Amino acid sequence: MNRKKLIDYKIFIPSLLIIIGISIPFALYEAESLELLNSVFDYIVEVFTWGYLWYGIVLVVAGLYLSFSKYGQVVLGNPKEKPRFNLFEYASILIAMGVGSTIMRTGMLQWTSVANDPPAGVEPGSAEALLWGNAYSMFLWGLQVFAIFVMIAPAMGYILHVKKRPLMRISEACRDIFGDKFTDGIGGKIFDILFLISILSGAAVTLGLGAPIITHNLSHLTGFEVTFTMTIIVTIVWVCLFSLSAYLGIEKGIKRLSTWNMYLAGIFVIFILIGGPGVFILNYFSDSVPFLLSNYLNFSLDTQSVHGESSHIQSNTVFWFAYSATWAMLHSVFAAKISRGRTIKEMILTYFLAPTLISWIATGVLGGLGVHRYLNGDLAVLDLVENEARMAAIPEILSTLPFGEVSIIIFMIVALIFLTTTLDSTTYTVAAYTSTRDMSKFEPPKTLRIIIAAIITALALVLMRIGGLAPLEVISGLMGLPIIVIQFILIYAAKRMIDKDKAWKHNVRQTQLKRSS
């Protein structure tokens, strides 16, 4: 097959050119563009806060409905075949894809933002503010965000594994709603280009925001200042890792890295509990869980309408849901690809529960360590964060553990592997999405994955060097609005296709048929 025909240039090239076209003025006028975009986002927060909050709730309800109704028993693939991965491997891949890289960046310090800017009536830095902070950190990694991530997956998994459509694209999933003329024409191209813009820009932001996790810890160990040269070296090592993983494929690459890293992360958590303030961390976690549960609806729906100015919780929740929406397509398409043999119920509930559980543990342990060091006066954590030294605070906290340097090294390895699997799954998904191969039968071309990895890396490094990364992050958040519309279209598309095929009768496991008869 001619290599040029392995990629659909009609959607890939326009997406790349649009991102470059947007990034150039951002880089030239970073401060001005960031101010403009923030003002637009602030307006959206002011007008549509209620909408974003209800959006998360509605998706959770939709996920539970699809899981526990007749649609949940539909198998994504041949009901007689076993799932592609066992449950531990499957959950590990979803965790590495869904939370790994970001939880390493935010888990230890997310509570500080709320502690510095708590809800109305709560004193900053107080004991109550600390509880609000950790509970909110856990809320961010709760059912709503994972519902946002997974609810496109039923439609994508159905067209790929049941209907055996050759192209794994958003437009293809909408064919039953909009017809052939729209799907094969400009409408379908717009849908697919929007997907690629959101993913390529989001991946560049992830790479740009992920590098400081490594560079600041490396700077603490070596004594060298964080420079762009250090960032380039770290990024090259990182890119080599996920390029190698991409080349090896899901079975030998992403799956192995994800499962190995779960074991390593577990060992690191146990080390912190034994070598650090384990009793305090477990007590603080035990206090945070009921605090979260008793305030869950408050976190989910409170707009601070009668208190005037919003606190960090209100503004950040809207941004978090909007930013998560831009990643929804990537997470759902990737989840659909690896879910062959799983029922819709298994796919949705695994994505709801496994990442939530791991995120809460990570937030409780890492955040609890940071809170303990703050309360004991070992480290002025809130001051460091207020002075924009957030990433620099991580090695400072880790160095207070026994064998502090070893702790930092292990943290860097876990973070690097999570970052690798996140970018690896991104390049895999983009390659699968843009490939003209039959994705119901084949994997995306390895060379195409390497090329996409190089493009994302180049874009991120240029933006880190000349500016424009911060505005692109805000753009990623703003892109959530049109993607939310597409999400609901695809949820309806999944229901429509399953009803049309009566898949809840014909594409289920025999044990389920016997149980229902």
Side-chain angles (χ1 to χ4, degrees):
M1 185 182 289
N2 190 328
R3 185 173 295 179
K4 288 186 178 180
K5 294 183 179 179
L6 291 179
I7 184 170
D8 188 343
Y9 292 107
K10 292 181 180 179
I11 61 173
F12 185 73
I13 296 300
S15 306
L16 189 59
L17 290 176
I18 290 172
I19 292 173
I20 294 172
I22 291 173
S23 299
I24 289 173
F26 285 173
L28 294 175
Y29 306 101
E30 183 176 22
E32 294 84 352
S33 58
L34 188 58
E35 183 179 354
L36 173 62
L37 290 171
N38 278 330
S39 65
V40 173
F41 181 75
D42 289 342
Y43 175 77
I44 291 174
V45 170
E46 182 180 349
V47 177
F48 293 111
T49 291
W50 61 272
Y52 275 107
L53 297 181
W54 278 106
Y55 154 67
I57 295 289
V58 168
L59 286 187
V60 171
V61 173
L64 294 175
Y65 169 71
L66 287 181
S67 297
F68 292 102
S69 65
K70 61 186 178 183
Y71 304 102
Q73 64 186 345
V74 173
V75 177
L76 299 174
N78 186 342
K80 296 179 181 180
E81 291 181 357
K82 290 184 177 180
R84 182 176 181 180
F85 303 103
N86 65 44
L87 186 58
F88 178 73
E89 293 168 345
Y90 182 60
S92 296
I93 295 171
L94 292 179
I95 289 165
M97 168 67 176
V99 305
S101 61
T102 308
I103 200 69
M104 297 302 291
R105 179 164 53 89
T106 63
M108 194 174 290
L109 296 170
Q110 179 66 55
W111 61 271
T112 60
S113 298
V114 179
N116 280 326
D117 183 18
V122 179
E123 183 182 348
S126 65
E128 187 179 1
L130 296 179
L131 280 175
W132 274 103
N134 207 49
Y136 179 67
S137 300
M138 294 164 71
F139 166 78
L140 290 179
W141 296 106
L143 295 180
Q144 281 100 314
V145 73
F146 296 118
I148 292 171
F149 284 166
V150 78
M151 287 311 295
I152 293 175
M156 299 304 298
Y158 193 81
I159 65 164
L160 186 67
H161 301 305
V162 180
K163 298 183 84 68
K164 303 294 183 182
R165 301 266 178 87
L167 299 179
M168 191 176 70
R169 296 181 185 169
I170 301 296
S171 58
E172 195 66 34
C174 295
R175 187 178 292 275
D176 279 25
I177 296 178
F178 297 118
D180 295 338
K181 185 176 181 181
F182 175 91
T183 303
D184 298 326
I186 188 67
K189 293 291 186 292
I190 290 174
F191 271 28
D192 293 330
I193 288 171
L194 181 63
F195 169 89
L196 288 174
I197 292 173
S198 68
I199 298 312
L200 290 173
S201 59
V205 170
T206 297
L207 196 64
L209 295 179
I213 303 175
I214 310 299
T215 55
H216 279 86
N217 282 279
L218 192 61
S219 173
H220 185 90
L221 286 176
T222 62
F224 294 117
E225 290 186 8
V226 176
T227 62
F228 187 65
T229 301
M230 180 186 287
T231 300
I232 290 178
I233 293 171
V234 167
T235 304
I236 289 174
V237 172
W238 178 8
V239 169
C240 288
L241 278 174
F242 80 73
S243 295
L244 176 62
S245 178
Y247 187 77
L248 291 173
I250 285 186
E251 303 288 345
K252 295 180 179 178
I254 296 175
K255 186 187 81 173
R256 288 183 179 176
L257 279 177
S258 299
T259 52
W260 290 347
N261 212 33
M262 287 301 295
Y263 289 120
L264 183 58
I267 292 170
F268 186 53
V269 165
I270 293 171
F271 170 75
I272 292 176
L273 291 175
I274 295 174
V279 173
F280 173 83
I281 289 173
L282 293 173
N283 286 336
Y284 184 55
F285 179 77
S286 300
D287 290 338
S288 299
V289 171
F291 195 89
L292 166 65
L293 296 178
S294 62
N295 287 282
Y296 201 90
L297 284 178
N298 195 23
F299 283 129
S300 299
L301 293 172
D302 184 24
T303 64
Q304 294 278 291
S305 58
V306 297
H307 293 289
E309 188 175 348
S310 297
S311 68
H312 172 81
I313 289 177
Q314 280 68 44
S315 59
N316 187 67
T317 301
V318 174
F319 177 79
W320 186 251
F321 286 176
Y323 188 65
S324 297
T326 65
W327 282 96
M329 293 193 192
L330 171 67
H331 286 273
S332 286
V333 171
F334 183 75
K337 180 65 175 171
I338 67 169
S339 293
R340 188 182 71 231
R342 292 285 170 190
T343 63
I344 288 177
K345 180 179 181 179
E346 288 170 345
M347 177 176 65
I348 292 175
L349 293 187
T350 302
Y351 219 129
F352 273 19
L353 300 177
T356 297
L357 176 62
I358 295 300
S359 300
W360 285 17
I361 292 172
T363 299
V365 173
L366 296 176
L369 176 62
V371 169
H372 180 269
R373 295 324 191 215
Y374 165 72
L375 289 175
N376 276 24
D378 298 330
L379 201 63
V381 179
L382 295 185
D383 292 338
L384 281 171
V385 172
E386 278 193 320
N387 293 327
E388 301 299 323
R390 181 176 292 270
M391 289 297 103
I394 292 176
E396 293 289 342
I397 294 172
L398 291 173
S399 63
T400 63
L401 290 168
F403 308 105
E405 292 187 353
V406 176
S407 302
I408 293 172
I409 291 171
I410 296 174
F411 181 88
M412 287 170 59
I413 293 172
V414 173
L416 188 61
I417 294 175
F418 272 139
L419 289 165
T420 298
T421 52
T422 298
L423 267 296
D424 188 3
S425 51
T426 301
T427 58
Y428 177 92
T429 305
V430 173
Y433 200 91
T434 56
S435 176
T436 55
R437 279 184 178 177
D438 187 340
M439 284 297 106
S440 67
K441 299 178 180 178
F442 303 105
E443 295 295 305
K446 294 177 179 180
T447 50
L448 178 57
R449 296 175 66 185
I450 302 299
I451 291 170
I452 290 170
I455 290 172
I456 292 172
T457 303
L459 178 63
L461 284 174
V462 169
L463 290 175
M464 280 190 281
R465 180 59 177 168
I466 66 176
L469 198 63
L472 194 61
E473 183 182 13
V474 181
I475 279 286
S476 295
L478 293 174
M479 286 187 67
L481 278 173
I483 290 172
I484 288 170
V485 176
I486 295 176
Q487 273 185 298
F488 285 109
I489 291 173
L490 288 176
I491 292 171
Y492 173 68
K495 183 180 182 303
R496 181 185 172 98
M497 288 186 290
I498 293 171
D499 284 339
K500 186 177 179 181
D501 298 340
K502 290 185 170 57
W504 31 267
K505 283 185 178 180
H506 309 303
N507 213 72
V508 298
R509 293 171 184 154
Q510 291 300 313
T511 53
Q512 292 168 324
L513 276 176
K514 292 176 183 178
R515 196 180 301 129
S516 59
S517 61

